Amino acid sequence: MKTPYFLIHQSILEEGLGKLHTALESYWPNSVIGYSFKTNSLPWVLSFMKEHGCYAEVVSENEYELAEYMGFEHIIYNGPVKGKDSFLRACEAGHIINIDALREIEWLKEAASAEKTINVGVRVNFDLESMCPGEASGGEEGGRFGFNYENGSFLRAVEELKEIRGVRLSGIHLHCSSKTRSLNIYRAIAETACKICKEYGLDLDYVDVGGGYFGGLPDKPQYDDYLGAISGILRKYFDPKRTCLIVEPGTSLICPPIDYVTTVTDVKESNRNRFVTTDGSRIHVDPLMRKKGYFYHIEPMKPEKETVKMQIISGFTCMEDDRLFRLTDAPALQCGDQIVYEKVGAYTMCLAPLFSGYYPDVYLEDKGRITCMRRRWGVKEYVQGTEK
Ligand SMILES: *Cc1c(COP(=O)(O)O)cnc(C)c1O
């Protein structure tokens, strides 16, 4: 197997999804998992999620088309810029749609008819930062998705929907991305859902609490903790038999099972440092260039006794800052040693640029058997559809 490549461990993926199913079963059996396409939309991953009962959670027209292509029977259509064609198809097919922009209300006016009811949800924008100071991704500027509760935009959207014959408000969507993934975020989401429904007397088919959970890290909250916190609050207002709970995990499911395997290609000394060059790159495991560290292990070709003070592990691109991590007081790395980055399945493969090298191979490991799930891109794939 030619490095670099991604390696998906099916058993770890199954274990994570199993834990989520168990937690939902015990806290809110009337529930749906919408797998967040954007987190990792490798076709094999999507098929796996579909076969395990997940709905597709998509946030753009292309993702909606991908869900159709993959044969998902159930789609949750979110996102601030949906396409009109796919929006109307979703209305027609009766998929779950959470509106996020005024123009979608106009589209609903066009699509509505007396014969068939279109059920829609509304994404709620609420002041998470004031409920969980320092934790919201939007920080002091506030979040930019959905219709704001505090300034009355949410209520106006709900009232406009009421005016459209053949359209019915069926749910609310409260996904928030946070810096902390803490339980407090989900308590705030659940509190807000109860508050809004009580205040406006809404009777809902579903409450969608979104994604953003930790997964596969023993010292962080588990699905049981998240769902315990959410259901404890939601139960004060919602009847679990009447209202479905939707969760939209991405990272927590697909981050843990994927490794990235690289090989040391060169070791060089400068007057200042020892650089260990590898055939992998930060663009494949940290495309946003902001990770502070990695889970990794080293598979040496042969045992090495010499210890060196400092080694800087770097990547194949010609960017100076394609440096992955530093090793201090560790055995000297040699050509041929493998460095395996673990838990790198979320926002990596889907965000990697086509910079200097193309997409690497992706393999699946299932009970020791290895299968190629995506062949690496070469020039042929890169130039597809272009003129020379
Ligand atoms: C990104 C996103 C998710 C998934 O978030 P993770 O942090 O990957 O779990 C779920 N729902 C919506 C609406 C999103 O935008």
Side-chain angles (χ1 to χ4, degrees):
M1 284 154 77
K2 186 176 176 309
T3 54
Y5 59 84
F6 286 102
L7 181 62
I8 309 172
H9 298 284
Q10 185 164 334
S11 61
I12 302 178
L13 180 56
E14 283 166 351
E15 188 188 330
L17 191 55
K19 282 185 176 159
L20 177 55
H21 272 131
T22 308
L24 286 168
E25 201 47 52
S26 50
Y27 289 101
W28 207 282
N30 177 15
S31 56
V32 158
I33 302 172
Y35 172 67
S36 161
F37 268 39
K38 76 168 190 286
T39 311
N40 186 329
S41 56
L42 184 82
W44 180 82
V45 170
L46 302 182
S47 294
F48 177 92
M49 298 298 177
K50 178 164 70 90
E51 277 157 30
H52 288 76
C54 299
Y55 289 21
E57 189 273 322
V58 302
V59 291
S60 69
E61 183 151 71
N62 281 153
E63 284 188 357
Y64 186 89
E65 289 162 353
L66 180 59
E68 290 177 315
Y69 172 81
M70 295 300 302
F72 276 83
E73 264 178 63
H74 302 286
I75 302 176
I76 303 170
Y77 199 0
N78 294 327
V81 186
K82 303 176 180 73
K84 186 172 179 183
D85 290 345
S86 52
F87 185 91
L88 296 177
R89 281 208 301 288
C91 290
E92 183 60 35
H95 291 311
I96 296 171
I97 305 167
N98 293 310
I99 63 167
D100 198 323
L102 288 171
R103 65 177 188 166
E104 293 168 32
I105 299 181
E106 299 309 310
W107 296 345
L108 283 169
K109 287 179 188 162
E110 286 177 40
S113 71
E115 290 100 67
K116 194 173 155 198
T117 305
I118 303 171
N119 290 304
V120 288
V122 178
R123 179 152 178 180
V124 184
N125 178 302
F126 66 99
D127 200 337
L128 180 68
E129 186 65 12
S130 69
M131 299 174 84
C132 305
E135 294 192 56
S137 283
E140 287 294 327
E141 287 194 354
R144 66 186 184 91
F145 302 114
F147 294 87
N148 185 256
Y149 164 72
E150 285 82 4
N151 78 353
S153 302
F154 175 82
L155 182 60
R156 268 201 303 283
V158 169
E159 282 173 347
E160 276 204 51
L161 292 179
K162 257 191 220 153
E163 296 294 304
I164 312 172
R165 256 191 75 200
V167 170
R168 182 181 155 262
L169 175 71
S170 60
I172 51 174
H173 179 218
L174 301 104
H175 171 81
C176 291
S177 69
S178 71
K179 296 168 184 154
T180 56
R181 304 181 184 276
S182 76
L183 293 174
N184 273 339
I185 300 292
Y186 298 90
R187 291 189 191 106
I189 287 173
E191 295 283 4
T192 303
C194 293
K195 182 170 70 183
I196 289 178
C197 290
K198 206 164 169 179
E199 188 172 336
Y200 303 144
L202 306 179
D203 174 35
L204 299 180
D205 299 343
Y206 68 87
V207 172
D208 185 337
V209 294
Y213 315 100
F214 278 117
L217 300 173
D219 53 344
K220 301 289 185 193
Q222 308 296 308
Y223 289 127
D224 259 332
D225 304 319
Y226 287 116
L227 284 152
I230 293 167
S231 87
I233 294 168
L234 284 187
R235 271 168 200 278
K236 289 191 231 157
Y237 184 81
F238 296 95
D239 174 2
K241 289 202 186 66
R242 161 75 188 102
T243 301
C244 173
L245 176 68
I246 302 179
V247 293
E248 301 176 339
T251 303
S252 58
L253 289 176
I254 205 59
C255 184
I258 304 187
D259 291 345
Y260 178 63
V261 183
T262 65
T263 306
V264 174
T265 55
D266 191 38
V267 179
K268 64 170 59 146
E269 301 267 2
S270 77
N271 61 324
R272 290 177 184 268
N273 262 307
R274 177 188 289 227
F275 293 97
V276 174
T277 310
T278 67
D279 59 7
S281 170
R282 201 170 160 186
I283 62 172
H284 288 157
V285 287
D286 183 21
L288 301 178
M289 298 293 219
R290 60 188 184 200
K291 286 187 185 165
K292 299 207 173 62
Y294 299 93
F295 296 100
Y296 67 87
H297 67 272
I298 293 165
E299 294 178 3
M301 287 259 281
K302 49 184 189 314
E304 172 61 46
K305 291 199 187 69
E306 185 209 350
T307 296
V308 284
K309 238 188 148 36
M310 169 72 108
Q311 304 174 79
I312 300 178
I313 317 307
S314 25
F316 71 77
T317 73
C318 286
M319 286 189 292
E320 269 299 352
D321 55 0
D322 192 358
R323 302 170 186 216
L324 290 117
F325 62 97
R326 288 172 183 73
L327 271 179
T328 45
D329 301 315
L333 286 169
Q334 310 162 67
C335 287
D337 289 352
Q338 291 205 329
I339 301 171
V340 181
Y341 301 85
E342 300 149 8
K343 305 185 201 297
V344 291
Y347 305 107
T348 50
M349 293 158 69
C350 57
L351 269 173
L354 293 165
F355 176 71
S356 294
Y358 308 136
Y359 300 142
D361 288 315
V362 183
Y363 292 96
L364 173 72
E365 181 272 315
D366 182 25
K367 300 182 189 78
R369 248 192 62 207
I370 308 268
T371 322
C372 185
M373 285 304 163
R374 183 178 72 190
R375 242 180 310 115
R376 62 178 168 273
W377 275 31
V379 169
K380 196 169 121 247
E381 289 74 20
Y382 176 68
V383 300
Q384 65 193 304
T386 67
E387 299 295 331
K388 185 161 77 159

